[in-house]
Amino acid sequence: MDATEIDVRGEFERLQEAFDAFEGLRQEGPETCAQKDPEVSGWSVEQHLFHIALATDLAFRHVRSLVTGKGRLIQAEGALDPRAGAVLESDQTPRGEAQAPRMVTPDADVDPEFLATELRMNREALEKLREIEAEISAAPGWIPHQVLGPLGATHWLRFAALHARHHWAIVRDILK
């Protein structure tokens, strides 16, 4: 999937929808957020929400780094791995195929206030990315993803949106 094939504005909208859903769920209260279903996932609803908040923050930082050209992870040369292209094009993340990196793995107990702060910061970061929409599409460089390999700025944005929806689907299954 070529970076120019990604509709940046569409990804913004999909992220906004996911953030609205996460916030609505969080506001349902601790009883809903603490729900677990071991047949679906080892994490609770709030652990999924916290994971997605952390992972989205990381993806957004990569997008900003690529736009500004500043960051120690940036590689000038790169190419989208065929598997990454297939995932981004299919708009689905297969369940159970990857383990979350430690830096975005939630603790067993999630502080509700910290979760609220992280989700608010995701919303604020999304609004700041909207201001640089054109620069995102034109950003050179690559930053590697732990499983998918090198991703450009638009790839990271698309990944953030599909990853958020992936965990939203898991959360819906937990709550069934």
Side-chain angles (χ1 to χ4, degrees), residues 5-172:
E5 296 175 47
I6 296 173
D7 174 14
V8 172
R9 188 168 295 155
E11 300 306 327
F12 289 156
E13 295 311 312
R14 291 169 359 138
L15 281 157
Q16 185 67 55
E17 289 170 10
F19 293 166
D20 291 346
F22 298 156
E23 184 58 27
L25 191 58
R26 191 192 64 76
Q27 289 186 10
E28 286 184 25
E31 207 170 278
T32 298
C33 289
Q35 285 190 46
K36 266 186 158 181
D37 183 344
E39 292 183 21
V40 175
S41 173
W43 289 349
S44 67
V45 167
E46 65 191 348
Q47 284 174 301
H48 279 279
L49 295 179
F50 191 61
H51 165 71
I52 202 61
L54 294 174
T56 300
D57 178 58
L58 184 61
F60 285 0
R61 280 190 279 147
H62 290 332
V63 171
R64 284 191 303 274
S65 287
L66 289 163
V67 167
T68 63
K70 296 178 183 174
R72 62 181 176 80
L73 299 175
I74 296 175
Q75 301 171 350
E77 300 293 322
L80 193 62
D81 181 273
R83 180 169 183 253
V87 168
L88 294 174
E89 195 168 325
S90 74
D91 201 27
Q92 294 182 18
T93 304
R95 285 192 188 182
E97 287 192 15
Q99 186 171 346
R102 191 181 64 172
M103 69 184 118
V104 295
T105 298
D107 291 331
D109 296 312
V110 175
D111 178 343
E113 293 304 314
F114 192 58
L115 175 59
T117 298
E118 287 296 312
L119 291 171
R120 178 182 48 76
M121 290 171 56
N122 279 172
R123 287 175 175 277
E124 291 171 2
L126 178 63
E127 291 311 309
K128 288 183 178 167
L129 288 180
R130 287 180 194 268
E131 295 171 9
I132 58 169
E133 180 180 336
E135 290 91 338
I136 293 171
S137 296
W142 303 84
I143 293 178
H145 179 275
Q146 72 162 27
V147 174
L148 300 176
L151 300 178
T154 58
H155 302 128
W156 273 107
L157 187 65
R158 182 166 185 90
F159 175 77
L162 77 89
H163 187 246
R165 286 191 327 283
H166 166 77
H167 282 277
W168 177 237
I170 294 171
V171 164
R172 287 192 314 263

